[in-house]
Amino acid sequence: MDVNAAVAAAAAIAGVLTGVIAVLAFRWSEREQRRPTRTSLHTDPVLPPGVDTVLSVLRSSAVVLDEADAVVKASSAAYALGLVRGGKLAVEPMLQMARDTRRDGEIRQVELDLPRRGTGRGEALAVSARVAPLGSRLVLLLVEDLTEARRIEAVRRDFVANVSHELKTPVGALSLLSEAVMDASEDPEAVERFAGRMQIEATRLTNLVQELIDLSRVQNDDPLEDAEPVRVDELVAEAVDRCRHQAGTKQITMAAGGTAELRIWGNRGQLAAALGNLVENAVNYSPARTRVGIAARRVNAPGGDLIEIAVTDQGIGISDKDKERIFERFYRVDPARSRATGGTGLGLAIVKHVAASHSGEVTVWSSEGQGSTFTLRLPEAGAAARDRAQQHPDLDDEAGRPHGSPHDPSPYESLPAPEVLP
């Protein structure tokens, strides 16, 4: 009996000692976990109050670095640009700027060209980086992507250069011809010849200025503010009348079909200019004694029917490399032919802007030596089309592949039979 009591007492004492040791060990471990270490001091700094919120609403890419150059905070845009990789700032010039700023506290700014991630074409991102101290231990890096701004500036610069060049040609010609007229004042035949050349150059200059005005207007104006139902047959008749003289001179037959009872919702003046440019190009680039066809039809599309107008010629055609650039301002497939016909290189750029501003598109099918087909796809007039134009200013190609694509080798043949115009 005494032996059993002694054993029980010993077991109880052992259990109590075990419990005390366990409690002490737990508290010691908890204290060690709360104790700051050298690593935690460098890798877990605290941002000043409000900084996290401010960085989240900035449009610039933001990166916060600690005194060990480790990334404390980085925006999603910084990761997208490839500035941060593996918790480190991956751009050496920016890292050096951060170190210099941490050393002397000065704010620094620099513009850099960075390689674009995921491409092997040597494309570069133009960025502006600004580094400033953030408190006593942190450094803030703000990076602005300037790539699109530089592209727009380059387009504007090229546009001004092209306009200057295009204006210089007829102005210089007029100056020389006027001098020739003065020198030949006693030769009526020479005066008449030079005066005729002056009229040609003056007409070219007038056309260029007018197309520059038209291009500026379609880029800045909202055509849907003055939109109305426009009859397709009236647009076609106006385009044909505009080119009747040139077509007659080259004995080109003009034919139209399928335009009856079709209406487009949009600005009449801009639509007439766009279709007129397409028809005029077709006549100018077609050989003598060929045919230019204009055909229209209604096509079904989600959200409302579209009107498709195709202008087909039997001209020189367009190469694959030129197809990607023909809608650029001042770009010409055949510069010599364009100058001979008085072309400015702005016609297709105007067509593209008119189509886009009317929630439509323009596409081209062409084969060298076989001709080309330019197709305008625009919303049909009506309540559904008006709602569609107001609610969906940027039209997607949800209706499928447009007619006139390279996979549709003869888009004009699928349209209604044309009627030969006098």
Side-chain angles (χ1 to χ4, degrees), residues 103-115:
R103 184 183 65 254
D104 55 25
E106 291 186 7
I107 298 175
R108 289 174 167 82
Q109 184 168 350
V110 68
E111 292 189 2
L112 301 170
D113 290 332
L114 306 179

Side-chain angles (χ1 to χ4, degrees), residues 114-388:
L114 306 179
R116 190 185 298 269
R117 297 182 62 188
T119 64
R121 296 174 294 178
E123 297 179 354
L125 288 173
V127 299
S128 173
R130 185 178 179 86
V131 180
L134 186 63
S136 59
R137 296 162 47 200
L138 304 179
V139 174
L140 172 63
L141 170 67
L142 295 177
V143 179
E144 190 77 24
D145 187 354
L146 304 178
T147 308
E148 184 64 15
R150 284 193 180 180
R151 187 192 67 81
I152 293 174
E153 180 61 29
V155 170
R156 183 183 297 111
R157 187 169 55 249
D158 291 343
F159 180 70
V160 172
N162 286 329
V163 168
S164 302
H165 176 73
E166 294 294 333
L167 289 173
K168 182 179 179 180
T169 301
V171 170
L174 287 172
S175 177
L176 293 175
L177 288 169
S178 64
E179 293 179 4
V181 169
M182 294 176 62
D183 293 339
S185 57
E186 298 180 357
D187 186 351
E189 184 178 347
V191 169
E192 182 178 357
R193 184 172 68 255
F194 292 141
R197 289 295 307 169
M198 290 178 68
Q199 288 183 341
I200 294 175
E201 295 299 333
T203 301
R204 175 179 298 176
L205 182 59
T206 301
N207 292 338
L208 175 59
V209 172
Q210 184 59 50
E211 290 205 346
L212 286 171
I213 294 173
D214 293 341
L215 180 60
S216 175
R217 185 174 299 158
V218 300
Q219 287 180 317
N220 297 326
D221 294 348
D222 182 3
L224 299 183
E225 289 183 357
D226 301 320
E228 60 178 335
V230 181
R231 292 174 59 96
V232 175
D233 55 357
E234 293 178 357
L235 293 177
V236 172
E238 186 173 338
V240 170
D241 287 339
R242 171 176 168 177
C243 305
R244 193 180 301 277
H245 176 70
Q246 298 98 306
T249 302
K250 300 172 67 174
Q251 299 181 6
I252 292 177
T253 302
M254 303 186 70
T259 61
E261 306 302 327
L262 297 180
R263 289 176 172 81
I264 297 174
W265 181 254
N267 181 289
R268 178 184 179 84
Q270 292 191 14
L271 293 173
L275 185 58
N277 285 343
L278 291 181
V279 176
E280 186 174 18
N281 274 0
V283 172
N284 288 337
Y285 283 90
S286 292
R289 294 179 293 281
T290 56
R291 188 174 83 161
V292 170
I294 311 165
R297 68 176 180 179
R298 180 185 295 107
V299 295
N300 296 326
D305 291 345
L306 300 177
I307 300 300
E308 202 172 75
I309 307 175
V311 179
T312 300
D313 63 59
Q314 298 173 313
I316 60 176
I318 305 170
S319 66
D320 291 337
K321 67 179 182 66
D322 287 325
K323 287 179 189 176
E324 300 176 358
R325 302 191 58 191
I326 56 175
F327 293 103
E328 295 179 10
R329 303 165 185 172
F330 295 109
Y331 185 79
R332 297 181 177 93
V333 174
D334 186 348
R337 182 184 293 264
S338 295
R339 294 191 184 280
T341 59
T344 63
L346 291 174
L348 291 180
I350 293 174
V351 174
K352 179 181 178 180
H353 282 290
V354 170
S357 63
H358 283 76
S359 302
E361 65 176 354
V362 57
T363 59
V364 59
W365 171 91
S366 186
S367 179
E368 291 186 89
Q370 298 183 22
S372 307
T373 296
F374 287 84
T375 304
L376 271 173
R377 302 173 76 237
L378 299 165
E380 184 180 18
R386 286 196 296 270
D387 293 340
R388 180 172 181 273

Side-chain angles (χ1 to χ4, degrees), residues 400-414:
R401 183 177 299 279
H403 292 273
S405 69
H407 296 282
D408 184 0
S410 184
Y412 181 64
E413 292 178 1
S414 64

Side-chain angles (χ1 to χ4, degrees), residues 46-55 134-135 138:
V46 179
L47 291 176
V51 172
D52 195 6
T53 303
V54 173
L55 295 181
L134 186 63
L138 304 179

